[in-house]
Amino acid sequence: MSADAATELRIVGFLCNWCSYGGADTAGVGRFQQPTDLRIIRVPCSGRIDPLFVVKSLVNGADGVLVSGCHPRDCHYSEGNFYARRRLEALKSFLPILGIDERRFEYTWVSASEGQKWKTVVEKFTERIHELGPARKINAEMLAEAKAMFATV
Amino acid sequence: MQYLDELKSKIKEKLPDLDVVIGWEQGFDPLRATPLFMRTEEDVDKLTWGPLCVHNLATYLTGLKGKKVGVVVKGCDSRSIIELLQEKLINREDITVFGLPCEGVISMKKVARAVGTLDYIEKVDVTTKGITVSAEGKDYDLPLTEVGADKCGRCQYHNALLSDVFIGDTIDDSAEDDYSDVTEFEAKPREERLNYWLAQMDRCLRCYACRNACPLCVCRDHCVAQSRDPHWMSQDDTVQSKWFFQMIHAMHLAGRCTECGECERSCPVGIPILLLRRKMNKQINELFDYKAGTKIDAKPPLMAFKVEEDNINERGW
Ligand code: SF4
Ligand code: SF4
Ligand code: SF4
């Protein structure tokens, strides 16, 4: 697969420095073919990922958001990912009420040695986002439609 | 108004040891109560109590940290105090809680709808089961079942859960809360849910009344909604930024919100933001078996973790 601006969607990836970023690097060094939709943002720890990073990305036009950290028990800071897991799970279950498709957000654990797993994760997630298609952008037209639908509120 | 005299005398008894006691007095008209800060015995004589005392006074506690403060609470308000104590945002020894059993408070919006005006109300009589409002020469009998706040219809904590002085007889019955409002809303098509919030949020003024009224919103001048460093949110008047602000509020209250409803009540344009809070609470309860502000020695779930989570299965997607 090559970078193709016409078919590529915008997926934001928040990766922890110690495991998942390393895992993505391993995949790169191993020259595994991967889809190119994902834009990676490296953070020190999955515990650093405020769920609002995800929400902000989604509200402002990302088609998908992927978070990846070290496996539970493998966190470089011992427990950052345990806190992350609770927050991210709470976030995921909150999205439906907003009307944001919860399938556009996913979180997972990939270690630095798991280049192959990283490739699988990126492929699966990208495929899912492509099935969902581009997210609707919140713009004047969409707002007008929403207001017409709820003219009485 | 039951218990009012006893409440007054108990407050007067404790007043010499306290910097201030917070309760309610009549506001600009007989329908509206307003917070009262009592420092002298004369102040205490202005105190009122009953279904018009809507405000959750726990909101003031973090701002008065370090002072000896007394506070009058209903059942639901007491949960905010418990949550604040759990998070060490206030000191137990500085707070004197005057707890009461509460049968419910009114919703001003419902009264306004029934009476047809929100202007000056000349006269209000409080009866055991409701209120009688005289407005523009007409009397309206309004039972609590009709004009009571929604939260009171599902109240499980009528009696203050925490108090140094408890006045009155405890109320035994407790309602059910099946979160049907949340599930009903979620049963609507996704597009409709999204449109609903966009239409609602478009009316938001970004006045931040919802934030300021919330007892657990404690960042005050450091709120990320206004901070320039980090510059989390633009000051643009876009529906995205207004909606995003509500998501900030919901996420920052995850596992902490006690559903006192002050955010929604204080919203000048009536945006139903409590629905978002209730959704988060429903999920927190399902995931972590936790209701904010109900157990004094519990730890808020997002400040803790289990190595093996009971209800999270994040593997194999
Ligand atoms: S929710 Fe319960 S304690 Fe709170 S005001 Fe209503 S009836 Fe009173
Ligand atoms: S978010 Fe609303 S309901 Fe929850 S504690 Fe704050 S004011 Fe009360
Ligand atoms: S109180 Fe209402 S109008 Fe004001 S910021 Fe909150 S939601 Fe917006």
Side-chain angles (χ1 to χ4, degrees):
Chain A
M1 275 170 267
S2 62
D4 178 353
T7 55
E8 216 173 63
L9 294 177
R10 214 172 334 171
I11 304 178
V12 184
F14 294 99
L15 272 55
C16 91
N17 181 46
W18 302 100
C19 292
S20 293
Y21 196 86
D25 201 31
T26 306
V29 170
R31 297 186 174 254
F32 298 147
Q33 288 279 317
Q34 296 168 52
T36 49
D37 308 48
L38 187 77
R39 318 295 151 89
I40 293 175
I41 298 171
R42 175 155 66 156
V43 292
C45 173
S46 54
R48 173 65 181 90
I49 298 162
D50 190 318
L52 292 167
F53 292 176
V54 178
V55 174
K56 189 167 179 168
S57 310
L58 291 171
V59 169
N60 290 303
D63 300 307
V65 180
L66 178 68
V67 167
S68 187
C70 308
H71 288 276
R73 296 178 203 264
D74 286 351
C75 177
H76 186 78
Y77 307 98
S78 308
E79 31 193 59
N81 54 0
F82 289 133
Y83 289 103
R85 181 170 59 186
R86 284 199 161 191
R87 290 178 201 145
L88 296 169
E89 188 71 21
L91 169 69
K92 200 167 162 55
S93 65
F94 181 65
L95 292 176
I97 198 138
L98 299 171
I100 295 176
D101 197 328
E102 62 277 13
R103 289 168 297 181
R104 292 190 186 278
F105 162 62
E106 200 55 81
Y107 71 101
T108 189
W109 319 118
V110 173
S111 81
S113 59
E114 292 175 324
Q116 186 60 45
K117 173 160 184 204
W118 175 253
K119 171 185 153 79
T120 313
V121 163
V122 176
E123 276 177 351
K124 266 172 93 175
F125 190 66
T126 307
E127 196 181 310
R128 184 202 288 181
I129 299 302
H130 276 268
E131 268 163 28
L132 295 172
R136 286 188 64 191
K137 306 286 176 279
I138 300 170
N139 53 26
E141 190 190 326
M142 188 172 174
L143 183 59
E145 187 190 305
K147 281 160 80 175
M149 189 167 182
F150 291 96
T152 51
V153 300
Chain B
M1 295 291 172
Q2 220 183 343
Y3 313 133
L4 182 59
D5 291 332
E6 198 187 338
L7 177 62
K8 280 183 184 168
S9 72
K10 288 280 200 272
I11 293 177
K12 285 181 183 170
E13 212 175 279
K14 298 267 183 191
L15 201 56
D17 302 325
L18 300 171
D19 292 316
V20 63
V21 179
I22 317 170
W24 304 268
E25 67 177 319
Q26 185 190 312
F28 76 96
D29 75 359
L31 181 66
R32 259 54 71 111
T34 197
L36 166 70
F37 293 77
M38 295 169 270
R39 293 185 175 83
T40 63
E41 296 217 348
E42 293 79 72
D43 292 338
V44 181
D45 292 326
K46 293 187 225 156
L47 185 72
T48 152
W49 162 247
L52 307 178
C53 298
V54 182
H55 305 75
N56 178 355
L57 304 173
T59 302
Y60 296 106
L61 294 178
T62 45
L64 292 166
K65 199 174 174 190
K67 296 221 165 28
K68 296 279 177 204
V69 182
V71 59
V72 187
V73 298
K74 308 182 284 288
C76 51
D77 308 339
S78 71
R79 289 178 63 187
S80 311
I81 298 184
I82 292 179
E83 189 64 31
L84 289 169
L85 286 169
Q86 284 176 356
E87 297 180 28
K88 303 195 170 48
L89 292 163
I90 52 175
N91 300 319
R92 181 69 187 94
E93 55 280 10
D94 290 343
I95 308 281
T96 305
V97 182
F98 299 89
L100 289 152
C102 164
E103 307 228 29
V105 294
I106 60 161
S107 151
M108 290 298 160
K109 287 182 189 117
K110 289 186 190 170
V111 173
R113 227 174 286 143
V115 175
T117 173
L118 252 181
D119 293 346
Y120 190 88
I121 302 291
E122 300 115 58
K123 193 162 160 287
V124 177
D125 282 318
V126 175
T127 59
T128 41
K129 287 281 161 249
I131 58 171
T132 307
V133 175
S134 311
E136 286 158 4
K138 268 171 71 186
D139 284 355
Y140 302 83
D141 279 323
L142 306 171
L144 266 183
T145 45
E146 263 169 49
V147 294
D150 289 343
K151 65 172 176 178
C152 304
R154 51 179 180 245
C155 178
Q156 293 157 22
Y157 308 97
H158 290 279
N159 311 300
L161 291 175
L162 165 84
S163 50
D164 298 292
V165 180
F166 189 84
I167 294 126
D169 304 317
T170 55
I171 298 169
D172 290 332
D173 51 333
S174 136
E176 293 282 324
D177 186 2
D178 55 5
Y179 284 95
S180 50
D181 50 337
V182 175
T183 39
E184 269 163 38
F185 183 80
E186 284 192 299
K188 295 181 201 297
R190 181 179 298 114
E191 205 73 338
E192 193 178 325
R193 280 175 263 153
L194 181 61
N195 282 346
Y196 177 79
W197 288 117
L198 291 180
Q200 289 285 0
M201 288 304 161
D202 188 53
R203 299 184 299 123
C204 170
L205 310 163
R206 266 181 97 173
C207 66
Y208 301 130
C210 48
R211 177 195 74 187
N212 294 0
C214 175
L216 277 317
C217 258
V218 291
C219 305
R220 312 223 169 232
D221 295 343
H222 307 284
C223 177
V224 289
Q226 284 165 308
S227 143
R228 298 285 160 113
D229 183 18
H231 202 176
W232 256 85
M233 281 182 76
S234 85
Q235 300 302 308
D236 287 351
D237 179 38
T238 61
V239 71
Q240 285 100 314
S241 63
K242 296 187 271 195
W243 197 27
F244 184 53
F245 170 64
Q246 285 307 332
M247 297 177 195
I248 294 180
H249 200 167
M251 291 311 299
H252 285 181
L253 269 292
R256 308 172 62 229
C257 166
T258 57
E259 286 180 43
C260 67
E262 289 291 275
C263 47
E264 181 165 313
R265 181 186 65 80
S266 64
C267 177
V269 292
I271 300 177
I273 42 189
L274 193 58
L275 184 60
L276 297 178
R277 310 291 179 274
R278 280 177 49 75
K279 164 67 179 172
M280 186 58 95
N281 279 353
K282 175 174 175 284
Q283 297 308 130
I284 292 287
N285 195 26
E286 282 171 17
L287 287 169
F288 309 117
D289 188 24
Y290 180 86
K291 278 202 181 100
T294 55
K295 287 194 204 94
I296 192 127
D297 47 3
K299 192 155 194 201
L302 294 188
M303 298 179 190
F305 64 84
K306 275 187 183 170
V307 173
E308 298 290 336
E309 294 286 356
D310 302 321
N311 301 315
I312 300 179
N313 177 16
E314 80 275 26
R315 293 177 190 84
W317 52 272

